[in-house]
Amino acid sequence: MLAKQLSVFIENRKGRLGELLDVLKESGVNILSLSLADTMEYGLLRLIVDDPQKGKESMTAAGCSCMLTEVFIVKIPHSPGSLQKILKTIADEEIGVEYMYGLSYGGDEACIVVKTSDSARAEEVFTKHGIETTSHCKLAF
Amino acid sequence: MIWSKEESLPRTELEALQLARLQETVARVYEKVPYYRAKMDAAGIKPQDVQSLADLAKLPFTTKQDMRDTYPFGLFAVPKDELLRIHASSGTTGKPTVVGYTRGDMETWTDCVARIACMGGATAKDVAQICFGYGMFTGAFGLHYGLEKIGAAIVPSSTGNSEKQLMYMKDFETTLLVATPSYALRLAEVARENGINPKTDLHIKTALVGSELLTDAMREEMHAVWGKDVNITSNYGMSELMGPGVSGECLEHCGMHINEDYFIPEIIDSETGEVLPAGEKGELVITCIKKEGLPLIRYRTKDVTRLFYEPCACGRTTCRMENPSGRSDDMLKIRGVNVFPGQIEEVVLSVEELGPHYEIIVEREGYTDKLTVRVELNKETDSFAELQRIEAFTKNKLKVILGLDAKVRLESPNTLQRFEGKAKRIKDLRKQ
Ligand SMILES: [Zn+2]
């Protein structure tokens, strides 16, 4: 099951991240997880939010360059080796991981957000190996 | 259609007319303008020394500084009561430059602009919206009279309030747009923000753009947003010489035809002042040969261009000037390389992942100049590789065109400042 991630271009300057987060706050969009990758000049802010569409609209209205990206939110048990096991499965099936970051909400399970090189095949692989994925809205908080 | 018969005279006839008018003008300024007489005397030139068009090169230049030194009316060849109109430049540095028109000058001006409007495709059926500022600036009035002469219906909407401009444009079914190229692009941007598709919801068939450099890339961008069938021509002029109407592009798009029966163009080396042969690039110098109020002799325009005298497919025999590649003043010397902002603009506009706006920053780090070009990202992406590709591609293109390394700074859309008149996109921090 694919989930929608909000990907936002961000200039690397003081206070810019705060400005962007302010936009989400003003429109009442809740952030469940985020990752920020950057170079000296710019970065990409990747967010899992409770309402991706609304998040995108408010960011666009604020003049940001942003888009919705399809990613997987993969459920993993809170136990040593479980992340490694899933990654090995993905690698064995020759699916590339473009990036990933964690999404933890306490309890017995954690999640990782994964962007794969081939969403359709990844979906099949997850089903075949009984790896559970979720769309953000079904997360229990 | 060709508006005036003088536009297609055989060259020999045209040159004879130019010489007669030049001799008359030189004799008149020598008699009526003490400043010119003093300059010519100092150079050891008398009006009768002008025996051929080549003798023009013997005459001293006129510069903007001369106009400031004689502020306000010191270069005028008629008494003030013969003037019908006085305009002045904004004068960002020092005194403004003042220009004046007699009744005869107003007629000449109108004819000049009617010619270039006609060249660009304007007809009596057009509804022409003039998005140039009315006021001390000559641009709006010049186009106004010329288009009115042709018989177009004028909408003098002036500058500012883009939403209202678009409302007029839609409701009056405006067919002809007069604007700077950057404002024409800005209008299209505002249109789309307001759910108006410039190609299908508006009726623009002709765009006469001027007062700012129109690069090929900008023209393409204009076609992309306004429609590929829109006739886009640039025209050229400056208040000191007349206002708009000095030259304009015909629909063959091979340079701007100079109204040579009114203006004699020369190209000089801006450092030595030496006249360069046809086809070579240098500073444009213009002599007004049919002006009554302010007949400037060898006025240094500071615009860098080339002249072509080959006959044009449109039937006109007047010479054509290339779109200026920049101002000899705006030319930036970066690490010893001559850079014109227009070249940078050309690159920015040619990269489809970037918006049309940009800012050029030149700094000095130690003893080295550093060039940074700020651009707006026009493509949504979730990929670093893609961002790096856009950055590297732009950097590489700049390197090819400019011959030097520039830093490219990607910014979010709508970050850079928008301009409605002449754009100020250069920050040269080396002088501070
Ligand atoms: Zn032509």
Side-chain angles (χ1 to χ4, degrees), chain B residues 201-269:
Chain B
D201 300 334
L202 302 176
H203 305 82
I204 300 294
K205 290 190 192 67
T206 305
L208 302 178
V209 300
S211 145
E212 194 185 89
L213 182 67
L214 174 72
T215 61
D216 288 345
M218 214 159 191
R219 190 197 299 272
E220 262 174 52
E221 177 79 17
M222 279 188 65
H223 276 300
V225 294
W226 284 100
K228 65 175 174 22
D229 297 330
V230 172
N231 285 323
I232 300 165
T233 56
S234 58
N235 59 77
Y236 172 87
M238 55 179 59
S239 301
E240 298 92 308
L241 300 174
M242 171 72 88
V246 173
S247 67
E249 199 179 13
C250 68
L251 296 175
E252 299 293 326
H253 301 294
C254 52
M256 296 182 283
H257 286 279
I258 298 178
N259 283 316
E260 271 188 287
D261 52 325
Y262 295 136
F263 305 100
I264 302 181
E266 296 169 279
I267 295 292
I268 63 160
D269 177 320

Side-chain angles (χ1 to χ4, degrees), chain B residues 2 119 248-257 310-318 320:
Chain B
I2 296 178
M119 244 184 257
E249 199 179 13
C250 68
L251 296 175
E252 299 293 326
H253 301 294
C254 52
M256 296 182 283
H257 286 279
E310 297 78 26
C312 181
C314 72
R316 291 176 183 83
T317 54
T318 47
R320 288 161 287 128

Side-chain angles (χ1 to χ4, degrees), chain B residues 19-306:
Chain B
L19 180 60
R21 287 181 174 177
L22 173 65
Q23 288 170 324
E24 186 279 323
T25 301
V26 172
R28 185 157 44 90
V29 298
Y30 189 81
E31 187 198 326
K32 305 238 163 111
V33 186
Y35 191 84
Y36 269 128
R37 185 163 55 239
K39 264 193 144 184
M40 284 172 64
D41 285 344
I45 306 293
K46 293 273 172 282
Q48 52 272 26
D49 294 333
V50 180
Q51 293 297 322
S52 69
L53 287 176
D55 290 337
L56 181 58
K58 295 177 184 166
L59 295 167
F61 293 115
T62 309
T63 63
K64 198 163 201 134
Q65 192 55 46
D66 290 319
M67 300 191 72
R68 294 207 179 102
D69 292 346
T70 56
Y71 176 87
F73 301 121
L75 288 179
F76 281 53
V78 296
K80 239 188 1 264
D81 56 8
E82 283 183 36
L83 298 178
L84 286 196
R85 175 74 59 75
I86 296 165
H87 280 282
S89 75
S90 49
T92 41
T93 49
K95 290 237 173 67
T97 46
V98 181
V99 301
Y101 303 79
T102 63
R103 186 175 302 281
D105 290 335
M106 294 300 288
E107 281 163 15
T108 303
W109 192 14
T110 301
D111 183 50
C112 280
V113 181
R115 291 180 190 183
I116 60 125
C118 176
M119 244 184 257
T123 70
K125 293 202 176 94
D126 277 310
V127 175
Q129 192 160 330
I130 299 181
C131 308
F132 275 162
Y134 282 76
M136 295 307 273
F137 169 60
T138 51
F141 287 98
L143 267 304
H144 186 116
Y145 298 128
L147 284 161
E148 203 170 60
K149 178 91 180 176
I150 283 181
I154 310 290
V155 182
S157 59
S158 200
T159 52
N161 202 340
S162 302
E163 276 87 3
K164 193 161 265 177
Q165 297 273 8
L166 288 161
M167 185 187 85
Y168 295 144
M169 215 169 264
K170 194 158 180 269
D171 297 348
F172 302 168
E173 301 188 346
T174 300
T175 54
L176 188 150
L177 170 68
V178 172
T180 61
S182 54
Y183 190 57
L185 288 173
R186 174 67 189 146
L187 271 178
E189 197 176 53
V190 176
R192 284 177 308 201
E193 280 166 17
N194 286 279
I196 300 169
N197 181 344
K199 291 186 210 172
T200 52
D201 300 334
L202 302 176
H203 305 82
I204 300 294
K205 290 190 192 67
T206 305
L208 302 178
V209 300
S211 145
E212 194 185 89
L213 182 67
L214 174 72
T215 61
D216 288 345
M218 214 159 191
R219 190 197 299 272
E220 262 174 52
E221 177 79 17
M222 279 188 65
H223 276 300
V225 294
W226 284 100
K228 65 175 174 22
D229 297 330
V230 172
N231 285 323
I232 300 165
T233 56
S234 58
N235 59 77
Y236 172 87
M238 55 179 59
S239 301
E240 298 92 308
L241 300 174
M242 171 72 88
V246 173
S247 67
E249 199 179 13
C250 68
L251 296 175
E252 299 293 326
H253 301 294
C254 52
M256 296 182 283
H257 286 279
I258 298 178
N259 283 316
E260 271 188 287
D261 52 325
Y262 295 136
F263 305 100
I264 302 181
E266 296 169 279
I267 295 292
I268 63 160
D269 177 320
S270 62
E271 270 160 37
T272 64
E274 195 189 327
V275 177
L276 300 175
E280 279 193 36
K281 195 174 227 173
E283 182 182 336
L284 178 69
V285 170
I286 295 270
T287 299
C288 304
I289 51 172
K290 193 73 173 57
K291 285 275 292 290
E292 295 170 351
L294 186 60
L296 296 185
I297 306 291
R298 301 193 85 200
Y299 185 69
R300 294 188 59 158
T301 66
K302 303 274 183 187
D303 283 318
V304 177
T305 185
R306 294 192 289 173

Side-chain angles (χ1 to χ4, degrees), chain A residues 14-133:
Chain A
K14 209 172 166 185
R16 181 62 175 156
L17 180 59
E19 283 169 26
L20 295 184
L21 296 181
D22 218 39
V23 172
L24 293 181
K25 181 188 132 197
E26 288 304 313
S27 51
V29 175
N30 190 25
I31 301 166
L32 309 180
S33 177
L34 70 79
S35 127
L36 179 59
D38 62 357
T39 65
M40 288 285 284
E41 308 294 333
Y42 55 80
L44 281 167
L45 176 63
R46 294 167 173 138
L47 300 145
I48 300 297
V49 295
D50 60 351
D51 189 340
Q53 192 56 41
K54 194 167 165 197
K56 177 175 185 276
E57 281 162 17
S58 58
M59 284 286 191
T60 306
C64 298
S65 174
C66 67
M67 68 183 291
L68 294 178
T69 315
E70 294 196 318
V71 294
F72 289 99
I73 300 175
V74 182
K75 290 193 178 183
I76 47 172
H78 250 320
S79 59
S82 55
L83 174 60
Q84 184 272 342
K85 196 177 150 202
I86 286 170
L87 290 179
K88 185 169 185 310
T89 308
I90 298 175
D92 287 347
E93 294 279 357
E94 292 185 344
I95 292 169
V97 172
E98 291 182 3
Y99 55 81
M100 56 178 278
Y101 52 98
L103 190 168
S104 180
Y105 53 92
D108 291 340
E109 278 182 327
C111 291
I112 48 164
V113 180
V114 184
K115 172 79 165 69
T116 61
S117 54
D118 184 339
S119 296
R121 277 210 51 230
E123 182 102 64
E124 286 169 23
V125 168
F126 289 146
T127 312
K128 188 169 108 191
H129 293 274
I131 295 168
E132 205 181 332
T133 56

